[in-house]
Amino acid sequence: MRAVVVRSFGGPETLETVEVPVPTTGAGQVRIRVEAAAVNPVDAVTRSGQLTAAGLMAPRDVTGIGWDVAGVVDEAGAGVTAFAPGDRVTGLRDRLDVSLGTYAEYVVLDAAAVAPAPSGVPSAEAATLPLGGLTALQALDALALEPGSTLLVTGAAGAVGGFTVELAAQRGIHVVASAGTGDEDFVRTVGARWFVPRSDGLADRVRELVPQGVDAVVDAAVTGVRALGAVRNRGAFVSVVAGAAPFPLRGISVTEHWVAADGAGLARLSDLAGSGRLTLRVADTMPLAEAARAHRRLAEGGLRGRLVLVP
């Protein structure tokens, strides 16, 4: 089968399409025939070698690329009862220390990392759900905000930010969304109560709307200390990017959230997406062999929705 891997770190040109054996399932695993794999910023960071340099990933001769997948179960390993060949699924590959990712024709995942695909949703859209959706869901679960609480979401028009706004609004949380000026209509459509354009005076702009400071922040745009000033004393701050969390001033609880594959959580998100209550966005689809071009487009920025590779 074909798969995209990296053997030497660097720019998009280091992505190689290679022929490798079709992976086999072990107990508790499923093999998925990949129909779509989303392109995420973590893929570019992996490719560049930054994760290895930071000590988050051990050096390897071959590194697989890709976390998100949507496709069809091709084989179920021993002990798997929740899925059978022919099932449409979506899943998350959250391990860094593997030689094959989801940029491939087939991928093997633990059954516990897989969920039924959203009903009636094309695979390209379904592939945009796992990483961004689970990051948002798990960050909100960790905050455990009550209905009526206030939450600032930075990068609110991005994949993680957009899911966070939508899920938080469904919980009755009042959301201040920070994004580019052209994104106001979108963030309001998905549930933001207030909109604040990106600016150096972020905290001041938020406190014009919520004078006492918001109860919490989900910082998807790596604003760090610039967003911390918007939080009330003893509030909470969640960074979804490694190494981007500010110091916990004024008794604010500051955490870095690391997403974990979770089939049960993904099933909740899939149900929401299938019923039209969670917005999935595809910026463009490209053939698997054009992974390098996809990474160059990702680096250019300005995308709304995910690029998706199709084998």
Side-chain angles (χ1 to χ4, degrees):
M1 73 166 191
R2 293 176 303 145
V4 175
V5 302
V6 169
R7 286 190 265 223
S8 60
F9 296 129
E13 72 281 354
T14 62
L15 294 169
E16 300 180 54
T17 302
V18 298
E19 288 288 339
V20 297
V22 175
T24 57
T25 57
Q29 296 182 318
V30 295
R31 186 170 66 202
I32 300 168
R33 176 171 54 79
V34 178
E35 293 184 338
V39 177
N40 291 288
V42 68
D43 302 337
V45 176
T46 302
R47 181 213 72 226
S48 71
Q50 293 179 54
L51 293 182
T52 300
L56 299 175
M57 189 174 78
R60 303 181 57 85
D61 293 334
V62 178
T63 301
I65 304 294
W67 289 48
D68 284 328
V69 63
V72 177
V73 172
D74 169 72
E75 180 179 277
V80 174
T81 58
F83 303 102
D87 288 348
R88 293 189 64 251
V89 296
T90 185
L92 182 68
R93 191 274 297 189
D94 63 352
R95 286 182 56 192
L96 296 171
D97 56 338
V98 293
S99 58
L100 289 175
T102 60
Y103 291 15
E105 293 181 308
Y106 292 87
V107 65
V108 169
L109 296 178
D110 293 342
V114 174
S119 176
V121 173
S123 290
E125 293 182 18
T128 68
L129 179 61
L131 179 57
L134 283 172
T135 300
L137 178 69
Q138 292 170 6
L140 288 171
D141 285 350
L143 287 171
L145 296 172
E146 296 291 334
S149 300
T150 51
L151 172 71
L152 168 63
V153 179
T154 70
V160 173
F163 286 137
T164 304
V165 171
E166 202 159 15
L167 292 170
Q170 291 173 14
R171 298 182 182 198
I173 297 166
H174 301 311
V175 177
V176 183
S178 175
T181 54
D183 297 313
E184 181 173 0
D185 287 347
F186 167 74
V187 298
R188 289 191 182 277
T189 297
V190 296
R193 178 173 178 178
W194 299 289
F195 172 77
V196 174
R198 286 194 300 259
S199 71
D200 291 336
L202 175 61
D204 291 339
R205 298 291 298 273
V206 172
R207 283 183 178 263
E208 290 173 2
L209 301 169
V210 187
Q212 73 277 17
V214 295
D215 295 307
V217 171
V218 173
D219 187 22
V222 199
T223 56
V225 69
R226 291 188 291 118
L228 191 72
V231 185
R232 65 169 174 80
N233 287 9
R234 296 181 177 82
F237 187 108
V238 175
S239 173
V240 299
V241 177
F247 289 105
L249 305 176
R250 296 185 286 113
I252 296 170
S253 171
V254 175
T255 58
E256 287 189 352
H257 172 67
W258 294 78
V259 69
D262 173 17
L266 186 54
R268 291 162 56 193
L269 295 169
S270 186
D271 286 344
L272 290 173
S275 61
R277 290 177 289 164
L278 198 60
T279 305
L280 306 178
R281 294 176 290 161
V282 175
D284 198 3
T285 58
M286 299 181 181
L288 180 66
E290 295 185 14
R293 183 165 72 91
H295 276 226
R296 284 191 286 270
R297 282 195 58 185
L298 179 66
E300 291 170 359
L303 294 170
R304 290 297 177 261
R306 285 286 182 245
L307 297 170
V308 177
L309 298 174
V310 179

